[in-house]
Amino acid sequence: MKKSIKLSFIFITITSLLISCSSKDSSKTNSALGYNSAEKVYVPPGEYDEFYAFISGGFSGQLSVYGLPSGRLFKIIPVFSVDGEKGFGFNEETKNLLNTSFGFIPWGDSHHPDISQTDGKLDGRWVFINENNTPRIAKVDLSVFETTEIIEIPNTAGNHSSSYVTENTEYVIAGTRFSIPFPQRDMPIKDYKGNFKGVLSFLEVDPDNGNMNLSFQIMMPGFDYDKAHPGRGDSHGWFFYTTYNTEEAYSLLEVNASQNDKDFIAAVNWKKAEEYIKQGKFKTFKTNYAHNMYDESTQTATTKWIKEVKILDPADLPGLVYFLPTPKSPHGVDIDPSGEYIVGNGKLSADVTVHSFSKMIKAIEEEKFSGETYGIPIIDFEAVHAGSVKQAGLGPLHTEFDDNGYAYTSFFISSELVKWKLGTWEVIDRKPTFYSPGHLMIPGGNSGSPFGKYALVMNKITKDRYLPTGPEVTQSAQLYDITGDKMELLLDFPTVGEPHYAAGIPADIIKPQSKKIYKLEENKHKYATLSPSDTKVVRKGKEVHIYMTTIRSHFTPDNIEGVRVGDKVYFHVTNLEQDYDVPHGVAMIGANTSEILVMPGQTETFTWEPKKVGVWPFYCTDFCSALHQEMQGYIRVSPRNSNIKLSWSLD
Ligand code: RUQ
Ligand code: CUA
């Protein structure tokens, strides 16, 4: 009785908040947004969400983990940008992950997370995500929710048509948004046509550990390759890419790349590509790119430099690539769960164009081509077109699918989510979004078995939706119930950075495999110290290495003397705890790196360069016990020329 009174109080509060926010503009939220919606997203304290949502951070470079339906934020996983909270990219163990052929790059633009699959179903082992700016693909291990691999993509600029996986995670793919000179060189921009190329990359994934390896690239004409999706079912073995700027314009693209009535969806037969590779029909090109791998046993990332890449040229290799004409500057290309429909979302079109995979195969057999470009056949539009969703809205961007034969498309210009039926192409329902949606996500969306239930729409613009925070306001995600004929807006929550795609998965697939601690006996870190009695301080020239342990609630050693101005001090900290959720952190006055947060059983290295003579404190940054405030120590820093011997105290 008591409980239900409390609950209804919460519902009334939430409801009245929603009503009062929307009262200025009644079109903002429908009045049905009441008890019912609040109940549908309410996860009582202590209970779990049904789904995980991995939402890309866009220009934050990170990946955030939310629960659905509650919209609660659980973790921000640092991927392409350094992160002060976790020491990611600052500490010795993780900084190699951010190496590239352009040097150490502390920032990235993350777009499209995609979860690994087995037999066309999400298996929840890894999330792959692309970096658009300095082209890279990362792997996040979902047993620890940490980035464990980042591979640079050569011959690419604007790694946007990435990072989707095939139905058995045979490959994760990457594609270039901007075409660039191939090979890259100093040349006049006006000679773009024919000299600039767009490269599509296929990275094979090791089924045991998820490790990536760039198997081959396909050298395509100098268009912009915007988005991609894998075939599935019968179309497994194919990958589809949208292109725009088939005009090959190099200035004022806003106008010059919108001339052609139709651009293309490129259909790439990657099984054919594998055959050509086996037959040796590739050319090997010199390159130099970074492959950064985090080793869980040494808990340290290392960089390998790769010097060669295999390239296939579709002009010489029949059957490898076909172009499917698609109106008008298509952005998203999405494949329905059966693998039959290839949905092209023309940004400048009011219709959604759908091609048929079986018609495509027939057209290829019957050679129904309307021409060719750069040696690649263009399939006749009518021969491949399955149908169009007419006047569905303005500015279609992305489409996802449920498990009942419906598709859902986001419309950027008209700010709508539109539900339509596969096969009949009729619009079933439309709901406003607030405002200007980019991607949407249905859990399991990029797989043969979507889970349905919710659509999460990610909006680029929020204007008056939240309390103002100065000129910069948040982007948002909106959750729709899609179980009925009519969709229902349930929840609206701010996101970290600008979300592009997201990937959702039932929590039950991931939860059981989530690690609680790192086992001390498996810790092979070069500087691991497995007992307080093994701690020590060692000088190597100007380097001072502190082999340190933490356990509630003290550092060993805690007081260190004999450090000099101009030294570089390495705190190699092993957290001896073997209990779930007991990290310790270390921070040192004047440190110009980040503090580090060390998980139970883990060793991490924090560096500090003392600049001033004196006695300087360090302390634990994570409130680990009632005596956390006592978890502290000092370092005595003497002048450069002093000859005070290194000494330290063990408790
Ligand atoms: S994009 S908002 Cu970077 Cu996937 Cu379409
Ligand atoms: Cu250890 Cu606070």
Side-chain angles (χ1 to χ4, degrees):
M1 185 61 193
K2 237 189 184 168
K3 191 179 165 200
S4 72
I5 291 173
K6 261 194 209 153
L7 284 184
S8 49
F9 172 73
I10 291 165
F11 293 147
I12 290 165
T13 316
I14 293 172
T15 314
S16 54
L17 276 173
L18 291 166
I19 289 170
S20 64
C21 290
S22 61
S23 58
K24 276 175 285 169
D25 175 1
S26 57
S27 66
K28 262 195 199 169
T29 38
N30 60 41
S31 54
L33 200 63
Y35 291 96
N36 212 358
S37 312
E39 238 172 293
K40 283 181 178 166
V41 300
Y42 183 66
V43 178
E47 287 187 19
Y48 292 140
D49 278 281
E50 184 181 353
F51 294 97
Y52 282 101
F54 297 89
I55 304 184
S56 77
F59 42 65
S60 89
Q62 315 297 45
L63 178 66
S64 39
V65 187
Y66 287 84
L68 296 181
S70 73
R72 297 184 294 189
L73 172 65
F74 301 138
K75 182 171 182 175
I76 298 171
I77 304 172
V79 185
F80 298 112
S81 297
V82 295
D83 180 276
E85 183 183 337
K86 317 224 162 41
F88 181 85
F90 290 102
N91 63 35
E92 298 300 300
E93 287 73 15
T94 55
K95 69 184 192 188
N96 281 339
L97 282 170
L98 299 180
N99 285 339
T100 74
S101 61
F102 299 89
F104 173 83
I105 302 290
W107 170 82
D109 182 12
S110 59
H111 279 232
H112 306 123
D114 202 16
I115 298 171
S116 54
Q117 299 180 25
T118 305
D119 295 330
K121 296 191 172 65
L122 302 191
D123 63 25
R125 301 205 285 166
W126 310 291
V127 179
F128 298 92
I129 184 165
N130 60 318
E131 207 271 88
N132 189 53
N133 183 50
T134 305
R136 289 173 277 178
I137 304 274
K139 175 187 77 202
V140 171
D141 180 336
L142 290 180
S143 69
V144 288
F145 286 65
E146 301 283 356
T147 302
T148 53
E149 184 179 2
I150 299 183
I151 186 166
E152 193 182 354
I153 311 295
N155 302 320
T156 298
N159 175 34
H160 195 259
S161 38
S162 321
S163 47
Y164 296 96
V165 302
T166 52
E167 69 181 25
N168 287 300
T169 322
E170 292 96 339
Y171 292 99
V172 52
I173 58 93
T176 198
R177 175 164 150 222
F178 310 112
S179 281
I180 46 174
F182 187 92
Q184 187 57 280
R185 62 190 180 276
D186 176 17
M187 63 167 281
I189 297 169
K190 68 171 178 39
D191 299 337
Y192 182 112
K193 224 175 182 137
N195 290 312
F196 282 38
K197 297 284 175 199
V199 154
L200 308 176
S201 304
F202 285 76
L203 294 89
E204 63 188 338
V205 177
D206 186 319
D208 295 329
N209 51 28
N211 293 348
M212 297 177 282
N213 168 39
L214 174 55
S215 324
F216 59 89
Q217 296 188 313
I218 301 179
M219 190 174 58
M220 300 283 286
F223 310 153
D224 289 44
Y225 297 85
D226 203 10
K227 286 302 309 287
H229 263 103
R232 55 181 60 99
D234 284 349
S235 57
H236 179 61
W238 291 77
F239 231 105
F240 301 91
Y241 300 80
T242 43
T243 69
Y244 65 98
N245 193 23
T246 50
E247 295 84 353
E248 294 181 78
Y250 53 83
S251 76
L252 224 105
L253 259 62
E254 200 182 352
V255 178
N256 294 334
S258 305
Q259 299 299 312
N260 292 350
D261 176 50
K262 296 192 178 68
D263 294 283
F264 302 126
I265 287 174
V268 173
N269 185 340
W270 58 259
K271 292 228 162 131
K272 194 101 208 153
E274 288 179 332
E275 287 169 26
Y276 283 133
I277 291 287
K278 259 197 217 127
Q279 295 162 12
K281 300 234 167 101
F282 54 85
K283 291 198 187 95
T284 305
F285 281 81
K286 293 258 165 298
T287 181
N288 185 33
Y289 66 90
H291 187 179
N292 310 316
M293 191 87 84
Y294 181 89
D295 178 319
E296 204 179 299
S297 73
T298 63
Q299 305 185 353
T300 304
T302 49
T303 299
K304 254 206 256 161
W305 295 98
I306 318 263
K307 306 282 183 194
E308 280 187 345
V309 60
K310 292 179 183 141
I311 302 225
L312 296 172
D313 184 346
D316 304 336
L317 302 170
L320 183 58
V321 182
Y322 298 92
F323 284 135
L324 284 45
T326 306
K328 290 227 37 158
S329 301
H331 181 59
V333 53
D334 299 284
I335 313 302
D336 84 305
S338 76
E340 165 63 7
Y341 294 120
I342 305 155
V343 180
N345 305 286
K347 298 190 288 286
L348 305 176
S349 158
D351 300 343
V352 175
T353 306
V354 187
H355 296 307
S356 149
F357 177 73
S358 50
K359 280 183 84 174
M360 181 188 97
I361 294 299
K362 198 157 168 268
I364 292 170
E365 280 165 11
E366 296 170 2
E367 301 193 7
K368 290 205 172 135
F369 302 135
S370 57
E372 56 95 37
T373 178
Y374 293 101
I376 297 169
I378 302 169
I379 302 180
D380 178 64
F381 179 75
E382 291 305 329
V384 73
H385 184 219
S388 291
V389 189
K390 289 279 178 210
Q391 302 292 322
L394 288 178
L397 288 188
H398 297 283
T399 299
E400 290 249 309
F401 307 91
D402 66 12
D403 43 347
N404 292 314
Y406 295 101
Y408 302 75
T409 301
S410 58
F411 287 84
F412 182 81
I413 300 173
S414 53
S415 283
E416 293 173 287
L417 176 62
V418 174
K419 172 179 180 178
W420 51 275
K421 196 165 169 50
L422 284 159
T424 70
W425 325 122
E426 60 189 314
V427 171
I428 306 292
D429 187 28
R430 59 177 70 243
K431 283 284 173 322
T433 73
F434 307 96
Y435 307 92
S436 301
H439 280 271
L440 69 153
M441 177 273 278
I442 291 173
N446 176 37
S447 79
S449 310
F451 298 95
K453 199 155 180 177
Y454 300 111
L456 188 75
V457 175
M458 287 155 278
N459 296 287
K460 305 295 187 187
I461 293 170
T462 52
K463 288 193 192 289
D464 52 357
R465 296 291 292 180
Y466 299 108
L467 286 174
T469 50
E472 189 193 349
V473 289
T474 185
Q475 281 79 11
S476 80
Q478 289 183 308
L479 188 73
Y480 292 78
D481 178 339
I482 57 166
T483 52
D485 270 353
K486 299 283 170 200
M487 302 176 287
E488 188 190 350
L489 174 60
L490 300 177
L491 181 73
D492 183 326
F493 60 91
T495 57
V496 179
E498 183 200 334
H500 287 257
Y501 196 44
I505 182 169
D508 287 342
I509 300 180
I510 292 190
K511 211 164 32 118
Q513 62 178 25
S514 190
K515 241 193 195 159
K516 293 199 158 62
I517 58 162
Y518 295 94
K519 288 190 188 133
L520 267 179
E521 66 263 27
E522 289 169 9
N523 182 339
K524 298 281 177 298
H525 190 291
K526 177 160 141 202
Y527 291 99
T529 311
L530 299 182
S531 133
S533 58
D534 295 333
T535 57
K536 61 186 173 187
V537 184
V538 177
R539 175 178 286 284
K540 276 196 203 154
K542 283 188 175 183
E543 290 181 0
V544 176
H545 292 268
I546 306 173
Y547 294 68
M548 182 177 256
T549 60
T550 58
I551 195 151
R552 277 161 290 179
S553 282
H554 55 270
F555 292 103
T556 311
D558 58 0
N559 290 326
I560 298 160
E561 302 194 8
V563 170
R564 301 173 201 145
V565 170
D567 281 342
K568 184 160 184 184
V569 181
Y570 293 81
F571 293 72
H572 304 288
V573 184
T574 302
N575 181 357
L576 299 179
E577 306 282 354
Q578 291 285 271
D579 269 354
Y580 188 30
D581 201 16
V582 191
H584 297 282
V586 189
M588 181 82 222
I589 190 169
N592 59 3
T593 54
S594 142
E595 62 86 47
I596 52 168
L597 206 54
V598 191
M599 296 302 132
Q602 202 177 26
T603 302
E604 290 205 323
T605 302
F606 164 72
T607 54
W608 177 60
E609 295 177 39
K611 302 206 171 64
K612 293 186 191 173
V613 166
V615 178
W616 305 107
F618 59 89
Y619 67 99
C620 173
T621 50
D622 184 274
F623 210 107
C624 49
S625 76
L627 292 170
H628 152 80
Q629 287 299 77
E630 281 71 12
M631 194 162 172
Q632 62 182 57
Y634 287 102
I635 294 194
R636 175 181 170 187
V637 178
S638 305
R640 182 75 236 149
N641 56 8
S642 95
N643 46 23
I644 295 177
K645 285 256 150 6
L646 270 183
S647 66
W648 57 94
S649 56
L650 306 174
D651 305 309

